[in-house]
Amino acid sequence: MADLSIDFAGIKSPNPFWLASAPPTNTGDQVMRAFDAGWGGAVWKTLGNPIVNVSSRFGGIDYGNTRMMGLNNIELITDRPLEVNLREIREVKRRYPNHAVITSLMVETKEEWKEIIQRAEEAGSDGHELNFGCPHGMCERGMGSAVSSEPKVLREIASWAVEFATKPVIVKLSPNVTDIVEPGEAVLESKAHGISLINTIKSIMGIDLDRMVPLPRVGDASTNGGYCGPAVKPVALHMVGELTRHPYIAKLPISGIGGISNWRDAAEFIALGCTSVQVCTAVMHYGYRIVEDMIEGLNDFLDSKGMKSVLELRGRAAPQYKNWGELDLGYRVVADISTDKCIGCQLCYVACMDGAHQCIHLPGRTEEQARKAGHTHIPKLIPDRAVTAKGGTPGARVPFVDEEECIGCNLCQLVCPVSGCITMKEVASDKPHETWDDRVQRGADFVPGGLHVTEMERAKRNG
């Protein structure tokens, strides 16, 4: 089995799977049960001056048969006394010395930062995560995401923490910014030892249309909260990618957070450059034991790739994340529909006709019928193939892809309900490898049919 142990800026952990700072890390009992289940580390629910929470606190959004695709949270930092939390941290570290216990911290003044860091370290904290990401409640008091949105303030406060701490300092960033690189560079300038991201996204989960109150409802009102869960994973991956391709920020270890629910999600974050990953919503949904499948799945994946350590996976995909202008304009794929698997539902046809490029045809139509349906290019031959797949629509025909017109957008594959029925096959291209940046560099970035053509024709007409 591959070695899953990691060293995150000096914080050692038996595996890269950490619990994120949230309700699942609210007490010592919870963290110890999580460690027994297999979690390698835990970021304690944020410590600071205790607050008062409201009821209710969570809102969920479903999609189809998927429950809680996204979760909205208006809960704040710990509402338990600091002394109680510190006592429990001390006990957890005594019982689990080889697991990572990181304290998430959020206070206001420089003196408060000094005191809380000192007390957290006395309790045995292995490192500190500065909560500069909370998007509700605390940011209204000048903390949380209010800090991430002001790089100068972030740099100053993080510098205080680095000055006061003897353990590694990790800065947790908010996604509620225009450019994640700006706060990332501020972390670098502060001399902090690592970055974690993303925190939750500002959101309103929905509206109770009977009471006309946003959700989750607190009496006769509500507020914006933090959005998390599987739905935010693409946003999180993008922001991680922006930092891991930065020539200097990439040198800092990154803890990836956002929609991680299984080993494959974790592997994707690690492949993009993360050293550890943090999980919250999936644990709130399914419990601590999901880490068993995560550990087994990641081990099996690394073994299948011949990797002896999870560190070999780290950053493998990062060099392939590029700007649009660096992509090969000559590369081409087209859709290919399996006659053996197609059930004749025609979802691919509808999607292509109304949402893409009208290159999928239904057999048995006359040219007049095809043009009336919206086609402008009619292939000379449209094979008439009957649906033979088990569970297929009786009498249905397999749609036909006009490869000459197909632009390889992938939409048909994405809407197809049958796994493996539609694949995108690579086809030979008569175009050389060329990027848009290449064209710009040699002055060949003019494309006929734009405003420049209009201006040129106008100039010709005007003599």
Side-chain angles (χ1 to χ4, degrees), residues 24 123 133 142 144 154 175 180 188 193-194 227 265 289 317 396 441:
L154 185 157
I180 197 65
L188 198 66
H193 308 95
Y227 192 48
D265 295 333
R289 292 190 61 182
Q441 189 172 6

Side-chain angles (χ1 to χ4, degrees), residues 179-181 237-246 321 323:
D179 182 2
I180 197 65
V181 171
L237 283 172
H238 160 68
M239 292 194 168
V240 166
E242 288 295 287
L243 298 187
T244 56
R245 69 176 179 172
H246 188 284
Y321 174 40
N323 291 327

Side-chain angles (χ1 to χ4, degrees), residues 229-386:
V232 310
K233 176 187 163 188
V235 177
L237 283 172
H238 160 68
M239 292 194 168
V240 166
E242 288 295 287
L243 298 187
T244 56
R245 69 176 179 172
H246 188 284
Y248 302 112
I249 299 175
K251 296 178 181 179
L252 293 176
I254 294 175
S255 188
I257 314 168
I260 298 169
S261 303
N262 52 54
W263 74 264
R264 184 175 292 275
D265 295 333
E268 290 176 11
F269 275 82
I270 295 169
L272 201 53
C274 293
T275 300
S276 73
V277 294
Q278 298 184 32
V279 181
C280 170
T281 307
V283 168
M284 295 174 73
H285 197 164
Y286 300 109
Y288 295 127
R289 292 190 61 182
I290 63 170
V291 76
E292 297 173 2
D293 290 336
M294 289 180 164
I295 291 172
E296 182 180 358
L298 184 58
N299 257 313
D300 290 346
F301 173 74
L302 295 174
D303 288 347
S304 72
K305 297 296 182 181
M307 298 183 190
K308 303 300 182 183
S309 166
V310 68
L311 300 180
E312 293 184 47
L313 176 62
R314 180 176 178 266
R316 284 286 186 97
Q320 287 70 253
Y321 174 40
K322 300 179 181 294
N323 291 327
W324 189 93
E326 299 175 272
L327 302 180
D328 182 9
L329 297 173
Y331 179 76
R332 185 166 180 250
V333 294
V334 296
D336 183 55
I337 302 175
S338 169
T339 56
D340 296 329
K341 295 182 178 180
C342 178
I343 60 174
C345 68
Q346 298 186 8
L347 278 175
C348 61
Y349 169 77
V350 173
C352 186
M353 287 300 297
D354 295 352
H357 291 269
Q358 301 82 50
C359 70
I360 296 181
H361 298 259
L362 294 180
R365 285 180 169 175
T366 65
E367 180 174 339
E368 181 182 358
Q369 289 173 325
R371 292 193 182 282
K372 188 175 181 180
H375 288 289
T376 56
H377 182 272
I378 314 297
K380 293 181 179 179
L381 176 64
I382 299 176
D384 188 3
R385 303 168 295 182

Side-chain angles (χ1 to χ4, degrees), residues 421-439:
C421 177
I422 300 181
T423 55
M424 305 305 296
K425 66 178 183 181
E426 186 174 342
V427 295
S429 173
D430 56 359
K431 299 178 181 178
H433 183 285
E434 179 187 43
T435 70
W436 184 254
D437 288 352
D438 292 336
R439 289 191 180 187

Side-chain angles (χ1 to χ4, degrees), residues 10-296:
I11 302 173
K12 292 181 170 55
S13 173
N15 62 56
F17 300 111
W18 295 356
L19 290 174
S21 175
T25 60
N26 189 45
T27 69
D29 174 71
Q30 288 175 282
V31 173
M32 288 189 285
R33 285 193 288 113
F35 286 168
D36 286 340
W39 293 90
V43 185
W44 209 272
K45 187 168 173 63
T46 304
L47 307 180
N49 294 310
I51 50 76
V52 177
N53 272 306
V54 296
S55 176
S56 57
R57 304 177 191 177
F58 303 142
I61 187 167
D62 306 332
Y63 188 77
N65 294 324
T66 301
R67 295 284 286 169
M68 218 161 79
M69 176 191 71
L71 178 73
N72 175 281
N73 173 16
I74 61 172
E75 184 169 302
L76 302 183
I77 68 173
T78 184
D79 54 9
R80 303 189 308 140
L82 182 59
E83 287 298 336
V84 173
N85 279 293
L86 294 175
R87 183 175 68 246
E88 293 175 3
I89 290 170
R90 189 174 292 109
E91 179 63 16
V92 170
K93 279 306 297 181
R94 185 184 71 81
R95 295 194 191 184
Y96 300 84
N98 298 322
H99 287 68
V101 176
I102 298 99
T103 46
S104 174
L105 307 175
M106 183 195 295
V107 288
E108 295 185 72
T109 68
K110 187 173 183 178
E111 286 304 312
E112 287 177 326
W113 279 106
K114 181 178 182 180
E115 180 179 357
I116 201 166
I117 287 172
Q118 180 180 349
R119 296 183 70 178
E121 293 193 352
E122 289 172 351
S125 173
D126 295 309
H128 313 288
E129 184 181 82
L130 312 185
N131 186 344
F132 293 162
C134 184
H136 54 276
M138 305 309 294
C139 59
E140 297 159 15
R141 310 178 195 192
M143 295 179 279
S145 62
V147 179
S148 268
S149 61
E150 295 288 346
K152 290 182 180 179
V153 177
L154 185 157
R155 180 174 60 247
E156 181 175 7
I157 298 177
S159 298
W160 297 346
V162 172
E163 176 187 347
F164 301 143
T166 63
K167 299 294 179 67
V169 173
I170 305 167
V171 179
K172 188 173 186 178
L173 298 180
S174 167
N176 302 297
V177 295
T178 303
D179 182 2
I180 197 65
V181 171
E182 291 184 5
E185 289 177 335
V187 174
L188 198 66
E189 294 165 2
S190 75
K191 307 300 182 184
H193 308 95
I195 293 174
S196 61
L197 78 162
I198 59 173
N199 208 310
T200 52
I201 302 170
K202 280 181 180 274
S203 61
I204 293 177
M205 188 49 55
I207 305 294
D208 182 331
L209 291 176
D210 293 320
R211 298 182 177 91
M212 292 299 167
V213 176
L215 299 172
R217 183 172 64 87
V218 182
D220 60 357
S222 190
T223 187
N224 67 276
Y227 192 48
C228 55
V232 310
K233 176 187 163 188
V235 177
L237 283 172
H238 160 68
M239 292 194 168
V240 166
E242 288 295 287
L243 298 187
T244 56
R245 69 176 179 172
H246 188 284
Y248 302 112
I249 299 175
K251 296 178 181 179
L252 293 176
I254 294 175
S255 188
I257 314 168
I260 298 169
S261 303
N262 52 54
W263 74 264
R264 184 175 292 275
D265 295 333
E268 290 176 11
F269 275 82
I270 295 169
L272 201 53
C274 293
T275 300
S276 73
V277 294
Q278 298 184 32
V279 181
C280 170
T281 307
V283 168
M284 295 174 73
H285 197 164
Y286 300 109
Y288 295 127
R289 292 190 61 182
I290 63 170
V291 76
E292 297 173 2
D293 290 336
M294 289 180 164
I295 291 172
E296 182 180 358

